[in-house]
């Protein structure tokens, strides 16, 4: 899921950028005494423009959810990007930069094609590897209300497994979002797996925060993090009804970011736009 504290999707993005720069420099004409073409700088600018455009389009798509918490727009770590909008914006910016510099056109075309292709291949490989390596953990966990349970025994409907701790600031910020989603999506089973803390600490946090959560379990030895390869908190895993991993997110989730991921389960399993008040009615 990560390379140390760095999420793997970011690592893949940097790798794709390096490929684009290397191929672009290879495709650039010999400069002789002329100044070297700024291939690396242009590709970096294309990436920044693409990320900004992808984020902007995603925010507009999910604006009703962001409007409830406008500051969440500034948390791009929720994974909220429009890939197609970002790619098109980056390519358009590259074309604009090359409009008056014909020598840039060939390296930009070759580099952009290589970078996009390498990103697609690496991202696909990552998905396949994660789905093959990450299974529902078999560790026995303690229910907050008493008793023992295994996540592997809770299949039968889509499941969202959130790994968290009370000392983790992003965990605390995203918890109301997850609590609201649990109340609004009866077709999805949310499980909150506390990592390494005791019952008294967890109960105190939930009581002070006024959080009404179901399926809070204690993982005193952090066995779930070890079995899933999670390197940081919070980490949220999304499993299909048959226990197959369909998505994973490392870091804080916003309402929009979570809603997008719940779409993987289909409209019959999730309705992220509903609030708890609407559910009660």
């Amino acid at each position: 899921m990560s390379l140390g504290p760095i999420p793997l999707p970011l690592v893949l993005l940097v790798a794709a950028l390096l490929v684009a720069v290397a191929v672009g420099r290879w495709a650039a004409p010999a400069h002789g005494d002329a100044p070297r073409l700024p291939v690396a700088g242009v590709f970096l600018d294309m990436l920044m423009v693409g990320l900004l455009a992808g984020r902007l389009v995603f925010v507009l798509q999910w604006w009703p959810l962001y409007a409830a918490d406008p500051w969440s727009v500034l948390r791009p770590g929720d994974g909220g990007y429009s890939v197609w909008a970002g790619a098109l914006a980056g390519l358009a910016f590259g074309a604009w930069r090359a409009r008056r510099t014909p020598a840039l056109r060939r390296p930009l075309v070759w580099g952009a094609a290589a970078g996009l292709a390498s990103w697609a291949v690496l991202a696909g490989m990552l998905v396949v590897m994660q789905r093959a390596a990450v299974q529902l953990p078999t560790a026995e966990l303690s229910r907050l209300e008493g008793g023992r349970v295994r996540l592997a025994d809770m299949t039968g409907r889509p499941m969202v497994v959130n790994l968290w701790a009370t000392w983790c600031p992003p965990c605390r910020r995203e918890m109301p979002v997850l609590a609201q989603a649990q109340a609004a999506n009866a077709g999805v089973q949310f499980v909150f797996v506390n990592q390494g803390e005791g019952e008294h600490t967890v109960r105190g946090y939930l009581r002070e925060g006024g959080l009404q959560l179901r399926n809070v379990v204690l993982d005193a030895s952090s066995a779930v993090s070890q079995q899933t390869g999670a390197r940081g908190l919070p980490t949220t895993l999304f499993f299909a009804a048959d226990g197959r991993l369909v998505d994973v997110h490392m870091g804080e989730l916003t309402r929009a970011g979570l809603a997008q991921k719940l779409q993987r389960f289909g409209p019959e399993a999730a309705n992220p736009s509903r609030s708890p008040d609407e559910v009660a009615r």
Side-chain angles (χ1 to χ4, degrees), residues 23-63:
V23 173
R25 285 181 171 174
W26 168 82
H31 52 80
D33 295 331
R36 190 170 186 175
L37 292 172
V39 173
V42 174
F43 277 122
L44 182 59
D45 290 344
M46 290 170 64
L47 176 61
M48 294 298 102
V49 168
L51 290 174
L52 181 61
R55 180 64 174 176
L56 178 60
V57 170
F58 182 86
V59 169
L60 292 176
Q61 288 175 334
W62 295 93
W63 177 246

Side-chain angles (χ1 to χ4, degrees), residues 225-257:
S225 287
Q226 297 170 26
Q227 292 182 13
T228 58
R231 304 299 182 191
L233 298 178
T235 293
T236 308
L237 303 106
F238 300 80
F239 293 93
D242 59 1
R244 174 177 48 86
L245 183 73
V246 296
D247 206 344
V248 62
H249 182 81
M250 180 178 172
E252 181 181 353
L253 281 165
T254 62
R255 287 188 68 197

